[in-house]
Amino acid sequence: GAVVSQHPSRVICKSGTSVKIECRSLDFQATTMFWYRQFPKQSLMLMATSNEGSKATYEQGVEKDKFLINHASLTLSTLTVTSAHPEDSSFYICSARVPLGLAGESSGANVLTFGAGSRLTVL
Amino acid sequence: QKEVEQNSGPLSVPEGAIASLNCTYSDRGSQSFFWYRQYSGKSPELIMFIYSNGDKEDGRFTAQLNKASQYVSLLIRDSQPSDSATYLCAAEDGGAQKLVFGQGTRLTINP
């Protein structure tokens, strides 16, 4: 259980265009999802926390008008990179909290399960 | 700034030996800690999580937590070439309900 599906896995686009990435929780409801970005040989950087039915919470330094997040349902969050530029090329990964019970033991730990990631290349 | 520190490596271990990965964290309020494995070009996958002081074992993996020293470790016994990956340590920022990741340790198991 606790599978997060992310699409597309790879996308190549021209500079100035917009790209949408979808993240779905397949067998559980996710009121909160997290969007990360990872540059080569670097760690995960949290971009924003996506909250179902409300505005996303962005980390310091992340442009909310450039990285639009929509969490319209309990199973779907989308990240749209608007007017993409080559410096936006990166590996984008979404994640969701695994509900208690699906994490393998009862605890209060906020276990995250990750989508497969989307590699964006902006030409 | 809440931080999680790891040695970036690379750490090379011969096949069959024990690999030891270490992590320290700055936030004394953190209660839960996680180890993720990430293969090149892939997303992270959970190995273990721990929230009580002491050891927690799962197969070949043992997580160790020492809250007084703010130290978390992961031991991999009988290391296999398939264990070669980057291992990410994460601590829960309880106040913000999110995970803070370390920079990861690249582990190579040599046949």
Side-chain angles (χ1 to χ4, degrees):
Chain A
V3 175
V4 172
S5 175
Q6 185 174 347
H7 295 279
S9 58
R10 291 181 182 272
V11 58
I12 301 173
C13 69
K14 294 182 179 179
S15 184
T17 60
S18 295
V19 173
K20 180 186 283 188
I21 301 170
E22 289 190 351
C23 181
R24 293 180 185 272
S25 56
L26 295 187
D27 47 6
F28 66 101
Q29 293 181 335
T31 56
T32 303
M33 291 187 178
F34 302 90
W35 287 95
Y36 291 86
R37 179 169 55 183
Q38 187 176 39
F39 292 107
K41 299 190 185 301
Q42 294 188 23
S43 190
L44 300 173
M45 296 296 296
L46 180 64
M47 299 176 65
T49 302
S50 171
N51 304 298
E52 188 270 335
S54 64
K55 292 183 179 180
T57 304
Y58 289 82
E59 295 299 301
Q60 190 174 6
V62 177
E63 300 175 58
K64 61 181 181 181
D65 294 331
K66 181 170 184 64
F67 298 100
L68 301 180
I69 291 173
N70 187 305
H71 196 149
S73 76
L74 287 171
T75 59
L76 175 64
S77 176
T78 61
L79 167 68
T80 301
V81 183
T82 62
S83 187
H85 291 284
E87 58 266 30
D88 298 323
S89 299
S90 188
F91 191 43
Y92 292 86
I93 317 172
C94 69
S95 69
R97 285 205 190 97
V98 178
L100 294 178
L102 292 183
E105 61 183 77
S106 60
S107 76
N110 285 316
V111 177
L112 293 186
T113 187
F114 286 86
S118 300
R119 189 163 302 281
L120 171 63
T121 302
V122 184
L123 303 177
Chain B
Q1 181 78 5
K2 296 173 182 176
E3 296 180 338
V4 174
E5 298 286 340
Q6 295 179 257
N7 186 325
S8 61
L11 175 65
S12 293
V13 173
E15 184 176 357
I18 296 175
S20 178
L21 304 162
N22 305 312
C23 169
T24 59
Y25 60 95
S26 65
D27 181 15
R28 282 199 173 273
S30 294
Q31 296 296 315
S32 302
F33 306 88
F34 305 80
W35 283 100
Y36 284 86
R37 178 176 62 198
Q38 186 177 24
Y39 292 114
S40 181
K42 303 295 184 182
S43 67
E45 55 181 329
L46 182 69
I47 298 294
M48 293 185 70
F49 66 89
I50 185 168
Y51 50 90
S52 298
N53 270 328
D55 295 0
K56 178 182 178 184
E57 186 175 318
D58 184 0
R60 295 186 297 113
F61 300 94
T62 299
Q64 299 174 317
L65 173 60
N66 184 326
K67 291 186 178 180
S69 301
Q70 296 176 246
Y71 178 88
V72 192
S73 66
L74 179 69
L75 301 178
I76 306 174
R77 290 182 298 281
D78 188 23
S79 297
Q80 304 295 311
S82 59
D83 294 327
S84 297
T86 295
Y87 288 80
L88 300 168
C89 173
E92 182 178 13
D93 178 345
Q97 293 283 295
K98 61 185 181 183
L99 294 190
V100 178
F101 283 87
Q103 67 269 41
T105 298
R106 187 156 55 94
L107 173 67
T108 300
I109 306 301
N110 302 308

